[in-house]
Amino acid sequence: MIQSLQGIGMTSARTRERMINRLIQQGICSHKILDVMRNTPRHIFMDEALAHRAYEDTALPIGYNQTISQPYIVAKMTELLLAASARLTCVLEIGTGCGYQTAILAQLADHVYSVERIAPLQKKAKDRLWDLKLKNVSYLHSDGGWGWPDHAPYDGILVAAAPPEIPEMLLQQMAVGGVMLIPIGKDDKQQLQRVTRTESGYDVEKLEPVVFVPFLSGRK
């Protein structure tokens, strides 16, 4: 692995291990997720000027008014998504962003279909995942509210931006027994919700307060 992926100083494996210990203290229990996050260099997913803060428990800007989610939220949403299945086969991610969450999912699912509305962000994410040799990801430059119907149904959907309500198109693309993790609400009144599709409809659970960027329509 090249030096930039290994990290040094505030981006070193030792700093990453402190992040893992903090996630354990915050209640993350899945050893699979902890191991993947331990071995995934979060610092390469942000600009060099902010790389020294990569393993802090905070969201950080990645340009275009977007952020990389704090490690706890990445771990928590992934753990909730995996709770329904030993391994996910087909996952839809809405909001590729910088690609960090995509990289975590790609190591825990057979295939990830990732949709991003901002083309330059998606290009950077693709390059970073290529550097990590993660090739089980397909990318679509599109409005996230449309999902990616061509590959539906999905047994897992993870949404990294907050709409005011659950998009109907995403509900339609869930497999029976599938799970969607999505923040719902505006500004500082967002709730992380888990949606499970059943034979007869959808079960919706409100889990905890979160703060995500707003879910916007269109492409850039």
Side-chain angles (χ1 to χ4, degrees), residues 81 88-93 105 109-114 154-158:
L81 200 65
L88 295 166
T89 301
C90 184
V91 175
L92 174 64
E93 179 189 37
L105 290 172
D110 291 343
H111 202 92
V112 178
Y113 296 90
S114 190
Y154 300 98
D155 51 4
I157 299 178
L158 190 149

Side-chain angles (χ1 to χ4, degrees), residues 42 45-46 58-62 66-70 74 98 100:
R42 189 171 185 258
F45 292 91
M46 56 190 68
T58 186
L60 293 167
I62 56 172
Q66 304 298 300
T67 60
I68 178 174
S69 296
Q70 68 186 100
V74 171
C98 64
Y100 179 68

Side-chain angles (χ1 to χ4, degrees), residues 148-167:
W148 198 343
D150 294 354
H151 302 286
Y154 300 98
D155 51 4
I157 299 178
L158 190 149
V159 183
E165 56 188 26
I166 301 170

Side-chain angles (χ1 to χ4, degrees), residues 157-219:
I157 299 178
L158 190 149
V159 183
E165 56 188 26
I166 301 170
E168 180 63 29
M169 286 286 286
L170 298 185
L171 292 172
Q172 294 175 10
Q173 292 171 39
M174 295 177 68
V176 174
V179 172
M180 173 163 53
L181 270 296
I182 182 170
I184 298 293
K186 296 181 179 180
D187 302 325
D188 60 348
K189 295 182 179 179
Q190 299 173 10
Q191 283 278 339
L192 182 62
Q193 299 188 10
R194 176 168 52 188
V195 183
T196 305
R197 185 165 190 176
T198 67
E199 293 283 356
S200 57
Y202 302 90
D203 291 337
V204 180
E205 305 167 77
K206 294 181 179 180
L207 301 174
E208 60 184 85
V210 290
V211 178
F212 278 81
V213 295
F215 193 108
L216 301 177
S217 299
R219 295 182 294 179

Side-chain angles (χ1 to χ4, degrees), residues 2 5 9-10 19 47 65 77 79 84 88-89 114 116 120 127 132 139 147 155 200 202 211-212:
I2 63 174
L5 297 184
M10 293 303 290
M19 177 189 76
D47 290 340
N65 295 315
M77 290 181 73
E79 188 170 64
L88 295 166
T89 301
S114 190
E116 173 58 53
D127 291 344
L132 293 175
Y139 305 90
D155 51 4
S200 57
Y202 302 90
V211 178
F212 278 81

